[in-house]
Amino acid sequence: MHSFLNDYSEGAHPKVLQALTESNLRQTCGYGLDPDCQKAADLIRKLCNAPDAAVHFLVGGTQTNLVAIDALLKPYEAVIAASTGHVSRHETGAIEASGHKVCTVSAPDGKLTPELVESVLNDHDGTEHMVSPRFVYISNTTETGTVYNLKELQALRACCDTHGLLLYLDGARLGSAIAAGGPSLPELAALTDAFYIGGTKNGALFGEALVLARPQADFRWYIKRRGAMLAKGRLLGIQFQALLEDGLYFDIARHANELALRLREGVRTLGYPLMVESPSNQQFFILPKTVFSKLTAQGCEFEVEWEKADQVCIRLVTSWATPPAAIDEFLQALAAV
Amino acid sequence: MHSFLNDYSEGAHPKVLQALTESNLRQTCGYGLDPDCQKAADLIRKLCNAPDAAVHFLVGGTQTNLVAIDALLKPYEAVIAASTGHVSRHETGAIEASGHKVCTVSAPDGKLTPELVESVLNDHDGTEHMVSPRFVYISNTTETGTVYNLKELQALRACCDTHGLLLYLDGARLGSAIAAGGPSLPELAALTDAFYIGGTKNGALFGEALVLARPQADFRWYIKRRGAMLAKGRLLGIQFQALLEDGLYFDIARHANELALRLREGVRTLGYPLMVESPSNQQFFILPKTVFSKLTAQGCEFEVEWEKADQVCIRLVTSWATPPAAIDEFLQALAAV
Amino acid sequence: MHSFLNDYSEGAHPKVLQALTESNLRQTCGYGLDPDCQKAADLIRKLCNAPDAAVHFLVGGTQTNLVAIDALLKPYEAVIAASTGHVSRHETGAIEASGHKVCTVSAPDGKLTPELVESVLNDHDGTEHMVSPRFVYISNTTETGTVYNLKELQALRACCDTHGLLLYLDGARLGSAIAAGGPSLPELAALTDAFYIGGTKNGALFGEALVLARPQADFRWYIKRRGAMLAKGRLLGIQFQALLEDGLYFDIARHANELALRLREGVRTLGYPLMVESPSNQQFFILPKTVFSKLTAQGCEFEVEWEKADQVCIRLVTSWATPPAAIDEFLQALAAV
Amino acid sequence: MHSFLNDYSEGAHPKVLQALTESNLRQTCGYGLDPDCQKAADLIRKLCNAPDAAVHFLVGGTQTNLVAIDALLKPYEAVIAASTGHVSRHETGAIEASGHKVCTVSAPDGKLTPELVESVLNDHDGTEHMVSPRFVYISNTTETGTVYNLKELQALRACCDTHGLLLYLDGARLGSAIAAGGPSLPELAALTDAFYIGGTKNGALFGEALVLARPQADFRWYIKRRGAMLAKGRLLGIQFQALLEDGLYFDIARHANELALRLREGVRTLGYPLMVESPSNQQFFILPKTVFSKLTAQGCEFEVEWEKADQVCIRLVTSWATPPAAIDEFLQALAAV
């Protein structure tokens, strides 16, 4: 049976792999200073309508978050994040390992609002006895599959401007967010101080493209100092070109979302509640334990989000690689138990 | 008018200063390896009924907390603290600066309970994708003046044993806590993995005595590496001897508490509400803004804990140096406005 | 013209790419816990004759060094390295960024000896006022192309045993070292506390296989905390299987070395001195500036190791991807100028 | 017998202690924002002829060095120091613990020169693959008792200007350096980016006054984040006022130097060689082992700098507290053995 464990269960989209294969024996210099990274960066600047932005390619999401925070903040400046945020919960203290506090606030649907950001600010007195919250971390889609829309992002931008904060968007699943109606690349480039276009979970073997609204001359020092500079950096440039040069990135995100919504509607029709109304490629369903056990006994694979006495909340993730038949297969299995 | 801003507004108790003066020209070796530190450590082991404990003297509270956490935890292990905890709020990210995450939980009266500790544990899945919460940080008295009693401390110890956690008690205001009926030195030594006896806020010029239930052979490396090893370490040993050899430490804490309770009862009699029922040397009163303004206009000094539209919560702190007359003076001023 | 800039100028050996392609659509779990990484780790344990060793796959060399040092040392323990060592010179302070000092010692041929290690130890007094040197970092091949032989490695092991030190070998170019007669995998596993088999510079797209003589239960926490855990970890397992299952890794290293030696002999015949007698895939030649200028004008590509008034030392690197004809081409170009 | 172990073997100069005693019951606010610190800072600015300088008071030397480096450098910027420098050798990696590399260079007499600084720069290529050496650390007096003169300091300043480096002077023993003819306070303020006036080793109980040529608005955040902000900060201000308001600091340094020179001449007359020609309060003598053993058997106390087969190099330190008779006593003991 198809596994819905993750959107990184397979390798790369065939077109990406083909690009890697075709370029394989070409010689270039290393560390991301090669023509392929240049072209990919130019393409991203064009798609973002941000000719002055800087683009850096990194290998993974946690790495990108920690390098960006390290480079953009002073040591005593802190991150504001939802308590469900990836930097808060799922990075083994990588941000703290670089010396920065992450100030968390509970956000029921995983989304920060100006009010939540200000509640963190109000808890700090501006003196040298406390950290200075400076960096608003959001992700689109969020860790629970919800999606910030343009208006919400604009409101956060305004809040950041009012309080002198940086706005950063973790785009590990940015394709899915955009395909679900979230802010576009030019909107993201205009409204954030930095964001990244996630490749790992949307068609690449690996790779994240970090876009900085304002280039920082020494940014590459921060990359290298964290062991985050890929020797064959061109692998990142080649993949992002393949994903972005003719819209593949968005096509496959749309595919993943469509299957996710079919899954959602199918489960809803069968009468099981959703944990959250997600328009994106992560879906969370609440099942009775007996149903859950029968499904897993049949070999259905997904993650468990939480478990209570009688209920289990499961997460199913779709991707570019999910075959439509897998949706039917899962829904039939669920209907049968 | 007397200032109630803090319990570190003056120098040292005269007896402490006298001990420093008398020993001033005696030569000793440096860095806390001198006979005075040895004697003070022996005395503390005796008072704690803990002959095997290690005692290290440090200069300040934040320094003591950061060195202890640095030395007792592995890099990926995290601290559990109330969101009001000093390590969470008032140390400018000093703990994160040493690479450790502080996992906070809201505790209405500033006190952790086994349930609160377990709520943090339950939020972590035990995998390498999350930090490992390992170190329970509490303070006695707490940051809001409340006091853990023996039973509460025993319950936390049992919780820590169940889950393999370390229990640490920040004793910046330990004198006041013990004088208010909190666990005694032998009980603290028996129930915690480490705690410190605060000198700065109870009669010393400066200094905290950290007691480790189990000596750690390389602990002094952690002290020095953080710039926390005092050259003339004996100053710490001399002060703690003066404070502890005949009970001065507890006498002056009792004095501070008694004046604080007179203050509390006086304010209550005048009809103003307390923020919290504090039995210790920090008292928090909620005043109408008009009253607050008149008081400050008269030169009354205290800290503002929070401020709302119509009300201000003020903090008054008493100490070994507070003259009884200052209580009357303040209550008269308050009665008059 | 062929570029001799580096051994990471191309993609992957075709067989590696083929393995990635063939496995591309297979679903596995993430983060290196998949069957492919298991198989590759088992294979490495077998090739190392080290059934109890732990194997972890990481993306790059600096990353591997910093994670290993972070995990194996206490914060105040330091690294001993040649001043030419990669951790000393070419990692932008990545080791210091994790809090560890690197104690350097000048080693004319890039190789540490027991005497050099002891000279560092002798400079430390064993007290808490100095770091504790604990971790001997060597690389094979070294940064100047020289190679430790078995006897030299045994001598370092004995020295480490005498002084309670850990011995670590950076194998970024381990294939070349082994092909040049350096210690074999079983010898490395027996003599070091940890070493890594470099993939990036010997046929992989990226990837290093770290072998720990003694498994460390929490090692994966250190990986994740540094953002060094690849989501699609299987990419590493698949590549190392392809490289190691039938000796490809050693075959291509031999190829690279053979071409390097042809280069060396050719240059020597033309009368130009070597900076160092290197038996491996990095060769360093000293050219008059006029010769150097003519070569670069013709499009020859290589790195400049150093530059003096009249002379330039250049580095040429061969790899699995170097065509034999490129050697002739370079030698002819050199002969012609 | 008098101990020559250190210049921090006693408490404080009586006048300093008297100032602490007289001010003991006065109430002030905490953390160095009090009138005493203000007055001391103003006095230092005046003595330095540097009305725009910022002055921060810290407790100890290692702490001052680590906070200054932390605050003045970006994470990837490195320190240049003599291999004998305190930050290189005797701070247990405190600088690396804040993430900065210390690039060391051998300096026979403990003093950096423009040539030595440039030799470190030349070893770095300015790319993101290496740290950026940015901060020249010197100490006056040096760790071996030698003293930079004005001309040498000017030459270093010019070198720093040429290369865009910061110049920092560790003044743990600044009194002795100035009394020995080293650059004066106004010269130091004009020629360095930061330096500190050491109190611990010249009459204070503890305390160092850091002078920053250019105030840094967030410097206090760096202090607090390292646990280096003294609650009763006024203790520092009071001590520096006592030391500096009427020249006591310089008088007692002169006293220490005079006794050190008498010691030096006496030992020289007895025919024992000096390790170094020191004009300051640290003197290093090379004794035959038999002589050394007899001296220590008599209870003479000093540090051992190094030990060889037949010889021992000992360090004797004088201070404000050294009685002239102690010099005669030591010389007689040495003459007698």
Side-chain angles (χ1 to χ4, degrees):
Chain A
M1 287 189 77
H2 183 82
S3 161
F4 289 96
L5 257 180
N6 244 314
D7 33 14
Y8 43 91
S9 300
E10 293 87 1
H13 188 279
K15 204 190 144 216
V16 170
L17 207 51
Q18 189 188 336
L20 289 172
T21 304
E22 287 171 3
S23 62
N24 189 50
L25 293 181
R26 211 166 60 213
Q27 290 192 300
T28 65
C29 69
Y31 301 115
L33 297 175
D34 58 276
D36 290 305
C37 285
Q38 277 307 324
K39 273 189 218 165
D42 288 341
L43 177 56
I44 288 171
R45 275 184 282 265
K46 199 178 145 202
L47 292 172
C48 289
N49 196 19
D52 298 330
V55 179
H56 297 279
F57 298 102
L58 292 115
V59 170
T62 296
Q63 190 183 76
T64 306
N65 291 335
L66 81 86
V67 169
I69 289 169
D70 205 22
L72 293 173
L73 293 188
K74 292 181 179 173
Y76 59 87
E77 291 178 335
V79 175
I80 300 173
S83 52
T84 46
H86 204 262
V87 290
S88 318
R89 274 178 67 76
H90 274 101
E91 303 194 347
T92 320
I95 307 309
E96 289 83 2
S98 76
H100 298 280
K101 193 182 192 73
V102 181
C103 304
T104 56
V105 59
S106 181
D109 59 355
K111 297 203 283 188
L112 287 184
T113 61
E115 290 69 37
L116 291 173
V117 168
E118 283 167 358
S119 76
V120 173
L121 296 181
N122 289 341
D123 211 33
H124 290 79
D125 62 9
T127 73
E128 64 268 33
H129 297 281
M130 292 187 168
V131 294
S132 298
R134 178 86 203 293
F135 185 101
V136 174
Y137 169 93
I138 59 173
S139 42
N140 218 17
T141 67
T142 71
E143 293 72 13
T144 55
T146 54
V147 175
Y148 287 89
N149 63 31
L150 176 59
K151 213 169 150 185
E152 290 166 331
L153 191 68
Q154 288 168 329
L156 282 169
R157 175 73 269 163
C159 168
C160 288
D161 287 343
T162 302
H163 300 291
L165 308 177
L166 299 173
L167 181 57
Y168 174 88
L169 186 141
D170 177 331
R173 292 191 172 97
L174 188 61
S176 183
I178 292 176
S184 64
L185 291 183
E187 288 163 350
L188 290 164
L191 293 169
T192 70
D193 295 283
F195 74 100
Y196 78 81
I197 306 172
T200 300
K201 293 174 179 167
N202 197 33
L205 284 179
F206 56 86
E208 326 295 326
L210 178 66
V211 181
L212 301 177
R214 285 168 301 283
Q216 184 171 327
D218 57 6
F219 197 86
R220 285 174 59 81
W221 274 256
Y222 290 91
I223 297 177
K224 174 73 181 183
R225 184 171 175 262
R226 294 298 176 188
M229 192 170 279
L230 190 64
K232 299 181 184 176
R234 76 207 205 136
L235 302 175
L236 296 161
I238 292 164
Q239 293 185 86
F240 273 98
Q241 281 183 70
L243 286 167
L244 292 170
E245 69 198 351
D246 60 4
L248 176 64
Y249 187 79
F250 304 102
D251 294 342
I252 62 184
R254 213 172 298 119
H255 168 85
N257 279 12
E258 282 168 8
L259 296 191
L261 295 193
R262 279 185 48 200
L263 206 49
R264 185 181 77 182
E265 296 319 309
V267 171
R268 206 198 309 254
T269 303
L270 290 170
Y272 298 108
L274 312 176
M275 179 184 87
V276 63
E277 186 78 25
S278 160
S280 72
N281 78 323
Q282 294 181 86
Q283 295 293 330
F284 299 82
F285 308 128
I286 299 172
L287 302 180
K289 268 214 169 156
T290 49
V291 173
F292 167 78
S293 302
K294 285 181 191 162
L295 274 181
T296 54
Q298 288 179 36
C300 287
E301 282 192 80
F302 34 69
E303 274 204 0
V304 170
E305 181 73 8
W306 50 252
E307 206 172 335
K308 293 187 182 165
D310 291 340
Q311 295 182 312
V312 181
C313 178
I314 64 171
R315 183 188 75 159
L316 275 71
V317 191
T318 58
S319 82
W320 59 272
T322 312
I327 307 299
D328 302 327
E329 185 187 40
F330 176 81
L331 291 175
Q332 285 160 15
L334 184 59
V337 298
Chain B
M1 286 189 79
H2 183 81
S3 161
F4 290 96
L5 256 180
N6 244 315
D7 34 14
Y8 43 93
S9 300
E10 294 87 3
H13 187 278
K15 201 186 147 220
V16 170
L17 207 50
Q18 188 187 338
L20 289 172
T21 304
E22 287 172 2
S23 62
N24 189 49
L25 292 180
R26 212 166 60 212
Q27 288 193 301
T28 65
C29 69
Y31 301 117
L33 297 175
D34 58 275
D36 289 304
C37 284
Q38 277 307 324
K39 273 189 218 164
D42 288 342
L43 177 56
I44 288 172
R45 275 185 282 266
K46 199 177 147 206
L47 292 172
C48 288
N49 195 18
D52 298 330
V55 179
H56 296 278
F57 298 102
L58 291 115
V59 169
T62 296
Q63 191 183 74
T64 305
N65 290 336
L66 82 86
V67 169
I69 289 169
D70 204 24
L72 294 173
L73 293 188
K74 293 182 179 172
Y76 59 88
E77 292 179 335
V79 175
I80 300 172
S83 53
T84 46
H86 203 263
V87 289
S88 318
R89 275 178 66 77
H90 274 101
E91 303 193 348
T92 321
I95 307 308
E96 290 81 3
S98 76
H100 297 280
K101 193 182 192 74
V102 180
C103 304
T104 56
V105 58
S106 180
D109 59 354
K111 298 203 282 186
L112 286 184
T113 62
E115 292 67 38
L116 291 173
V117 169
E118 284 166 358
S119 76
V120 173
L121 296 181
N122 290 340
D123 210 34
H124 290 80
D125 63 10
T127 73
E128 65 268 33
H129 297 280
M130 290 185 169
V131 294
S132 298
R134 178 86 204 293
F135 185 101
V136 174
Y137 168 93
I138 58 173
S139 43
N140 217 17
T141 69
T142 71
E143 291 72 12
T144 55
T146 55
V147 176
Y148 286 91
N149 63 31
L150 177 58
K151 211 167 152 185
E152 291 166 332
L153 191 68
Q154 287 169 330
L156 281 169
R157 175 74 268 166
C159 168
C160 287
D161 287 342
T162 302
H163 300 292
L165 308 178
L166 299 173
L167 181 57
Y168 174 89
L169 187 141
D170 177 330
R173 293 192 172 97
L174 189 61
S176 183
I178 292 177
S184 65
L185 291 183
E187 288 163 351
L188 289 165
L191 291 169
T192 70
D193 294 283
F195 74 100
Y196 78 81
I197 306 172
T200 301
K201 293 174 180 168
N202 196 34
L205 283 179
F206 56 87
E208 325 295 326
L210 178 66
V211 181
L212 300 177
R214 287 167 301 284
Q216 184 172 327
D218 57 6
F219 197 86
R220 285 174 58 81
W221 274 256
Y222 290 92
I223 296 176
K224 174 73 181 184
R225 186 171 174 261
R226 294 298 177 189
M229 190 170 279
L230 190 65
K232 300 181 183 176
R234 74 204 204 140
L235 301 175
L236 297 160
I238 292 164
Q239 292 185 86
F240 273 98
Q241 281 183 70
L243 287 168
L244 292 170
E245 69 198 352
D246 60 5
L248 176 65
Y249 187 79
F250 304 103
D251 293 343
I252 61 182
R254 211 173 299 119
H255 167 83
N257 280 10
E258 281 169 9
L259 296 191
L261 296 192
R262 278 186 48 200
L263 205 49
R264 184 182 78 183
E265 295 320 308
V267 171
R268 207 199 305 257
T269 302
L270 290 169
Y272 298 109
L274 312 176
M275 179 186 86
V276 63
E277 186 78 24
S278 160
S280 71
N281 77 322
Q282 294 180 89
Q283 296 294 329
F284 299 83
F285 307 128
I286 299 172
L287 303 179
K289 267 213 170 158
T290 49
V291 173
F292 167 78
S293 302
K294 285 181 192 163
L295 274 180
T296 53
Q298 288 180 34
C300 288
E301 280 192 82
F302 34 68
E303 273 203 1
V304 170
E305 182 72 8
W306 51 251
E307 205 171 336
K308 292 187 182 165
D310 290 341
Q311 295 182 313
V312 181
C313 178
I314 64 171
R315 184 187 75 157
L316 274 72
V317 191
T318 58
S319 81
W320 59 271
T322 312
I327 306 299
D328 301 326
E329 184 187 42
F330 177 80
L331 291 175
Q332 284 160 15
L334 183 58
V337 297
Chain C
M1 286 189 80
H2 182 82
S3 161
F4 289 96
L5 257 181
N6 245 314
D7 34 14
Y8 44 91
S9 300
E10 294 88 2
H13 188 278
K15 204 189 145 219
V16 170
L17 207 51
Q18 189 187 338
L20 289 171
T21 304
E22 286 171 3
S23 62
N24 189 50
L25 293 180
R26 214 166 57 212
Q27 289 192 301
T28 65
C29 69
Y31 301 116
L33 298 174
D34 58 275
D36 289 305
C37 285
Q38 277 307 324
K39 272 189 219 165
D42 287 343
L43 177 56
I44 288 171
R45 275 184 283 265
K46 200 177 144 204
L47 292 172
C48 289
N49 196 19
D52 298 330
V55 179
H56 296 278
F57 298 102
L58 292 116
V59 169
T62 296
Q63 190 184 73
T64 305
N65 291 336
L66 82 86
V67 170
I69 289 169
D70 204 23
L72 294 173
L73 293 188
K74 292 181 180 174
Y76 59 87
E77 292 179 336
V79 175
I80 299 172
S83 53
T84 46
H86 203 262
V87 290
S88 318
R89 273 179 67 76
H90 274 101
E91 303 194 347
T92 320
I95 307 309
E96 290 82 2
S98 76
H100 298 280
K101 192 182 193 72
V102 181
C103 304
T104 56
V105 58
S106 181
D109 59 354
K111 297 203 284 187
L112 287 183
T113 61
E115 291 67 38
L116 291 173
V117 168
E118 283 166 358
S119 75
V120 173
L121 297 181
N122 290 340
D123 210 34
H124 289 79
D125 63 10
T127 73
E128 65 267 33
H129 297 280
M130 290 186 170
V131 294
S132 298
R134 177 87 202 294
F135 185 101
V136 174
Y137 169 93
I138 58 173
S139 43
N140 218 15
T141 68
T142 70
E143 291 72 12
T144 55
T146 55
V147 176
Y148 287 90
N149 64 30
L150 177 58
K151 211 167 152 185
E152 292 166 331
L153 191 67
Q154 287 168 330
L156 282 169
R157 175 74 268 166
C159 168
C160 287
D161 287 344
T162 302
H163 300 292
L165 308 178
L166 300 174
L167 182 56
Y168 174 88
L169 186 140
D170 177 329
R173 293 193 172 96
L174 188 61
S176 183
I178 292 176
S184 65
L185 291 183
E187 289 163 350
L188 290 165
L191 292 169
T192 70
D193 294 282
F195 74 101
Y196 79 80
I197 306 171
T200 300
K201 293 174 180 166
N202 196 32
L205 283 178
F206 56 86
E208 325 295 326
L210 178 67
V211 180
L212 300 177
R214 287 167 301 284
Q216 184 172 328
D218 56 6
F219 196 86
R220 285 174 58 80
W221 273 256
Y222 290 92
I223 297 176
K224 174 72 181 183
R225 184 171 176 263
R226 294 298 176 188
M229 191 170 279
L230 190 64
K232 300 181 184 177
R234 79 211 202 133
L235 302 176
L236 297 161
I238 291 164
Q239 292 184 86
F240 273 98
Q241 281 182 70
L243 286 168
L244 292 170
E245 70 198 351
D246 60 4
L248 176 64
Y249 187 80
F250 304 102
D251 294 342
I252 61 184
R254 211 173 300 121
H255 167 84
N257 280 11
E258 282 168 9
L259 296 191
L261 295 193
R262 279 185 48 199
L263 206 47
R264 185 181 77 181
E265 296 320 307
V267 172
R268 206 197 310 252
T269 303
L270 290 170
Y272 298 108
L274 312 176
M275 180 186 85
V276 63
E277 186 78 26
S278 160
S280 71
N281 76 322
Q282 293 181 88
Q283 296 294 330
F284 299 82
F285 308 129
I286 299 172
L287 303 180
K289 268 212 171 157
T290 49
V291 173
F292 166 78
S293 302
K294 286 181 191 162
L295 274 181
T296 53
Q298 288 180 36
C300 288
E301 282 192 79
F302 34 68
E303 273 203 358
V304 171
E305 182 72 9
W306 51 252
E307 206 171 335
K308 293 187 181 163
D310 292 340
Q311 296 183 312
V312 181
C313 178
I314 64 171
R315 183 186 76 158
L316 274 72
V317 192
T318 59
S319 82
W320 60 271
T322 313
I327 307 298
D328 302 327
E329 185 186 41
F330 177 81
L331 291 174
Q332 284 159 15
L334 183 59
V337 298
Chain D
M1 286 189 77
H2 183 81
S3 161
F4 289 95
L5 257 180
N6 245 314
D7 34 14
Y8 44 91
S9 300
E10 294 87 1
H13 187 279
K15 204 191 143 216
V16 170
L17 207 52
Q18 188 187 337
L20 290 171
T21 303
E22 287 172 2
S23 63
N24 188 50
L25 293 181
R26 211 167 59 213
Q27 289 193 302
T28 65
C29 68
Y31 302 116
L33 298 175
D34 58 276
D36 290 305
C37 285
Q38 278 307 325
K39 272 188 220 164
D42 287 342
L43 177 56
I44 288 171
R45 274 184 284 265
K46 198 177 146 206
L47 292 172
C48 288
N49 196 18
D52 298 329
V55 179
H56 296 279
F57 299 102
L58 292 114
V59 169
T62 296
Q63 190 183 74
T64 305
N65 290 335
L66 81 86
V67 169
I69 289 170
D70 205 23
L72 293 174
L73 293 189
K74 293 182 178 173
Y76 59 87
E77 291 178 335
V79 175
I80 299 173
S83 52
T84 45
H86 204 262
V87 290
S88 317
R89 274 178 67 78
H90 273 101
E91 302 194 348
T92 320
I95 307 309
E96 290 82 2
S98 76
H100 297 280
K101 193 182 192 73
V102 181
C103 304
T104 56
V105 59
S106 181
D109 59 354
K111 298 203 283 186
L112 287 183
T113 61
E115 291 67 37
L116 291 172
V117 168
E118 283 167 359
S119 76
V120 173
L121 296 181
N122 290 339
D123 211 33
H124 290 79
D125 63 9
T127 74
E128 64 268 33
H129 297 280
M130 291 186 168
V131 294
S132 298
R134 177 87 203 294
F135 185 101
V136 174
Y137 169 93
I138 59 173
S139 43
N140 217 16
T141 68
T142 71
E143 292 72 12
T144 55
T146 54
V147 175
Y148 286 90
N149 62 32
L150 177 59
K151 211 168 152 186
E152 290 166 332
L153 191 68
Q154 287 168 329
L156 282 169
R157 174 73 269 164
C159 168
C160 288
D161 286 343
T162 302
H163 301 292
L165 308 178
L166 300 173
L167 180 57
Y168 175 88
L169 187 142
D170 178 331
R173 292 191 173 97
L174 189 61
S176 182
I178 292 176
S184 65
L185 291 183
E187 288 163 350
L188 290 165
L191 291 169
T192 70
D193 295 283
F195 73 100
Y196 78 82
I197 305 171
T200 301
K201 294 174 179 166
N202 197 32
L205 284 179
F206 56 86
E208 325 295 325
L210 178 66
V211 181
L212 301 177
R214 286 168 300 284
Q216 184 172 326
D218 56 7
F219 197 86
R220 284 174 59 81
W221 275 255
Y222 290 92
I223 297 176
K224 173 74 181 181
R225 183 170 176 260
R226 294 297 176 190
M229 190 171 279
L230 190 65
K232 300 181 184 177
R234 78 211 204 133
L235 302 175
L236 296 161
I238 292 164
Q239 291 185 85
F240 273 99
Q241 282 182 69
L243 286 167
L244 292 170
E245 67 197 354
D246 59 5
L248 176 65
Y249 187 79
F250 304 103
D251 294 342
I252 61 184
R254 213 172 300 120
H255 167 84
N257 280 10
E258 282 167 8
L259 296 191
L261 295 193
R262 279 186 47 198
L263 205 49
R264 185 181 78 181
E265 296 319 308
V267 171
R268 206 198 307 253
T269 302
L270 290 170
Y272 297 108
L274 312 177
M275 180 185 85
V276 63
E277 186 79 25
S278 160
S280 72
N281 78 322
Q282 294 181 87
Q283 295 294 329
F284 298 83
F285 307 128
I286 300 172
L287 303 179
K289 269 214 169 155
T290 48
V291 173
F292 168 78
S293 302
K294 285 182 191 159
L295 274 181
T296 54
Q298 288 179 38
C300 288
E301 281 191 82
F302 33 69
E303 273 204 0
V304 170
E305 182 72 8
W306 51 252
E307 204 171 336
K308 293 190 181 162
D310 291 339
Q311 294 182 313
V312 181
C313 178
I314 64 172
R315 184 188 74 158
L316 274 73
V317 191
T318 58
S319 80
W320 59 272
T322 312
I327 306 299
D328 302 327
E329 185 186 41
F330 176 81
L331 290 174
Q332 283 160 15
L334 183 59
V337 297

